[in-house]
Amino acid sequence: VENVELALKLSGSGGNAHEALAAFGIGQAHDRPAAVLSGGEQQRVAIAAAAARKAPLVLADEPTAELDEANELRVLDALQRLRAEHDTTIVVVTHSSSVAAEADRVVEIRDGKAQ
């Protein structure tokens, strides 16, 4: 909750941290320190914070790195919901072909040049 509330405070937004966490399936983790959350839960907290503050743009650098397949799917679903429900533009940097396959548009960079 504190992470989402801090994002709200810094952005000057009036969202609700508890509602945002619950919307992304991690409401039960509201009182746990971030350090004890799984990697997938930590990513969903960040996505919930973006949703709570109605972020127009999210930059996600390897958002599914080091996650098992089940958590990768949860994070990808959360990103898709963020885009659909809040009209957020999401830019993802990834080495994962399965993550890239979920994108509306893919720009491949090779040796510093777009392909």
Side-chain angles (χ1 to χ4, degrees):
V1 167
E2 290 175 356
N3 285 10
V4 178
E5 286 176 343
L6 177 60
L8 289 167
K9 182 177 179 179
L10 292 173
S11 70
S13 300
N16 184 298
H18 289 280
E19 287 177 9
L21 290 170
F24 288 94
I26 47 177
Q28 77 287 354
H30 72 274
D31 61 347
R32 296 187 355 221
V36 301
L37 299 177
S38 73
E41 289 171 326
Q42 290 177 8
Q43 291 292 48
R44 287 185 286 150
V45 167
I47 295 166
R53 68 181 187 277
K54 297 177 178 40
L57 174 67
V58 169
L59 304 176
D61 185 12
E62 297 286 357
T64 62
E66 301 181 33
L67 298 182
D68 61 25
E69 186 177 352
N71 275 308
E72 179 178 285
L73 292 173
R74 285 184 190 105
V75 168
L76 290 175
D77 178 64
L79 287 170
Q80 290 170 346
R81 286 187 47 221
L82 179 64
R83 182 191 64 196
E85 295 172 13
H86 299 282
D87 200 27
T88 300
T89 298
I90 302 169
V91 178
V92 175
V93 175
T94 187
H95 289 92
S96 168
S97 57
S98 62
V99 172
E102 296 295 319
D104 293 333
R105 179 173 178 224
V106 175
V107 176
E108 187 174 336
I109 307 291
R110 219 175 269 260
D111 298 325
K113 297 181 178 157
Q115 301 296 306

